[in-house]
């Protein structure tokens, strides 16, 4: 790399081998060096700093105990079998990928404007948002949900897609495709509305609020009605909750790593815990 920007600075005793392997698997350009008695991970683009920080916060050891899907080693027929077993999860990810291609990962603002929570107009370097009531009166009800399909940056997309594949498969296998669809729509609506109410007119998007909802659903459901499908790898829930608290503290934004849709994350998690409590209690009563 001709130019390098510091993304992480960690003690020499920290084992980065698993995380480096994950970066290599995702195709993230990087290098690691020793500077002042610490090891520093460098990336070539400032836009990668936040994404790498988010990725390390979630997966500091790489792919801990299957928290991420393993690299594809199955035959083509095996992959198709897995996709057929999780049709809704697959269709959701396909829709997200199509939107990413259409919007050029957020760079095509004309396409992004059709999917944002509020319609906007561009004048010079500024975005002017149309009141939500006007868009809804015009029949643009899809805006309440479609922000969850928008992603800004390929690493943002990759992390959310990996998590949705992991959690979506579990719910689809345990409770069916219809339940996963209903939960996805519910968590998407809850997180988008919460972000709008607490953050005001802004350009936001991504599956993160839905993912926190799916996580909360699996977590509480499993505590009330234990089963293999919702048994998450040790430490995953704790790690995600710690990351949520770090984001809520404002530290990530203060470090200049970008704005975080905290309201969307919290709303998704709360909604997920509620559905997990209802579903788990019902399953426990029946079982």
């Amino acid at each position: 790399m001709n130019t390098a920007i510091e993304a992480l600075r960690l003690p020499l005793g920290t084992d980065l081998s698993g995380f480096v392997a994950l970066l290599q698997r995702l195709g993230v350009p990087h290098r690691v060096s020793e500077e002042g008695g610490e090891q520093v991970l460098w990336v070539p683009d400032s836009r990668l700093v936040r994404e790498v920080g988010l990725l390390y916060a979630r997966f500091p050891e790489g792919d801990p105990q299957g928290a991420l899907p393993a690299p594809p080693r199955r035959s083509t027929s095996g992959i198709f079998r897995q996709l057929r077993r999780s049709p809704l999860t697959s269709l959701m990810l396909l829709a997200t990928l199509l939107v990413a291609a259409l919007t050029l990962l957020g760079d095509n603002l004309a396409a992004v404007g059709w999917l944002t929570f509020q319609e906007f107009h561009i004048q010079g370097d500024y975005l002017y948002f149309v009141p939500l009531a006007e868009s809804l009166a015009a029949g643009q009800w899809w805006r309440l949900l479609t922000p969850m399909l928008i992603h800004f940056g390929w690493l943002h997309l990759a992390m959310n897609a990996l998590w949705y594949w992991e959690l979506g498969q579990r719910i689809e296998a345990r409770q069916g495709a219809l339940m996963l669809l209903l939960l996805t729509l519910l968590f998407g609506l809850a997180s988008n509305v919460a972000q709008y109410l607490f953050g005001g007119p802004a350009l936001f998007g991504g599956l993160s609020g839905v993912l926190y909802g799916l996580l909360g659903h699996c977590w509480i459901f499993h505590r009330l009605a234990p089963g293999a499908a919702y048994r998450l790898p040790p430490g995953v829930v704790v790690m995600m909750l710690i990351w949520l608290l770090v984001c809520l503290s404002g530290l990530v934004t203060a470090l200049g790593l970008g704005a975080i849709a905290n309201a969307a994350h919290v709303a998704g998690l709360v909604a997920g815990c509620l559905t997990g409590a209802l579903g788990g209690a019902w399953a426990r009563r029946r079982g």
Side-chain angles (χ1 to χ4, degrees):
M1 295 182 288
N2 295 328
T3 59
I5 301 171
E6 180 181 319
L8 293 172
R9 180 177 288 269
L10 301 163
L12 285 177
T14 302
D15 183 6
L16 275 177
S17 57
F19 184 66
V20 167
L22 178 58
L23 293 180
Q24 292 172 344
R25 177 177 140 194
L26 293 174
V28 180
H30 66 281
R31 67 178 176 86
V32 179
S33 66
E34 182 178 337
E35 305 281 343
E38 296 178 299
Q39 51 185 336
V40 182
L41 190 146
W42 307 86
V43 293
D45 191 330
S46 60
R47 291 177 297 183
L48 291 175
V49 172
R50 175 173 174 265
E51 282 80 359
V52 169
L54 289 171
L55 191 63
Y56 182 77
R58 294 183 178 185
F59 308 111
E61 298 179 0
D63 295 355
Q65 302 187 41
L68 287 173
R73 294 179 180 176
R74 299 180 178 88
S75 63
T76 303
S77 61
I79 294 174
F80 283 122
R81 275 199 304 272
Q82 190 172 5
L83 292 175
R84 285 197 298 268
R85 283 199 301 268
S86 307
L88 197 283
T89 305
S90 303
L91 287 174
M92 184 64 189
L93 291 179
L94 177 60
T96 304
L97 292 173
L98 289 176
V99 169
L102 178 66
T103 61
L104 301 179
L105 288 172
D107 288 337
N108 183 355
L109 290 179
V112 169
W114 280 98
L115 302 171
T116 50
F117 198 81
Q118 289 178 271
E119 184 180 2
F120 61 81
H121 304 297
I122 304 173
Q123 293 184 14
D125 295 329
Y126 296 94
L127 301 180
Y128 294 89
F129 290 92
V130 175
L132 179 62
E134 292 185 18
S135 298
L136 296 181
Q140 298 178 6
W141 291 90
W142 67 81
R143 294 186 180 277
L144 297 177
L145 295 169
T146 49
M148 68 181 178
L149 299 175
I150 306 171
H151 287 84
F152 303 96
W154 65 268
L155 194 54
H156 181 210
L157 172 65
M159 286 191 297
N160 283 348
L162 287 169
W163 268 112
Y164 192 87
W165 178 250
E166 173 67 20
L167 296 172
Q169 283 188 102
R170 293 171 180 269
I171 294 174
E172 194 164 2
R174 177 67 176 81
Q175 295 183 269
L178 179 59
M179 179 57 71
L180 175 59
L181 176 61
L182 293 176
L183 291 176
T184 298
L185 296 179
L186 172 63
F187 301 151
L189 177 64
S191 59
N192 290 336
V193 171
Q195 187 59 39
Y196 168 72
L197 292 177
F198 286 90
L203 187 60
F204 61 86
L207 274 169
S208 299
V210 173
L211 296 178
Y212 267 103
L214 299 181
L215 179 74
H217 181 82
C218 293
W219 175 33
I220 301 301
F221 193 111
H222 179 69
R223 291 186 67 86
L224 295 176
Y230 289 173
R231 184 181 298 114
L232 298 171
V236 166
V237 173
V238 174
M239 178 180 62
M240 292 293 284
L241 293 179
I242 290 175
W243 175 246
L244 179 62
L245 292 175
V246 170
C247 292
L248 287 172
S249 71
L251 179 61
V252 175
T253 303
L255 293 175
L257 300 179
I260 303 294
N262 289 317
H265 295 172
V266 172
L269 180 63
V270 170
C273 289
L274 290 175
T275 60
L278 291 173
W282 175 252
R284 185 171 182 172
R285 182 178 179 181
R286 292 182 61 187

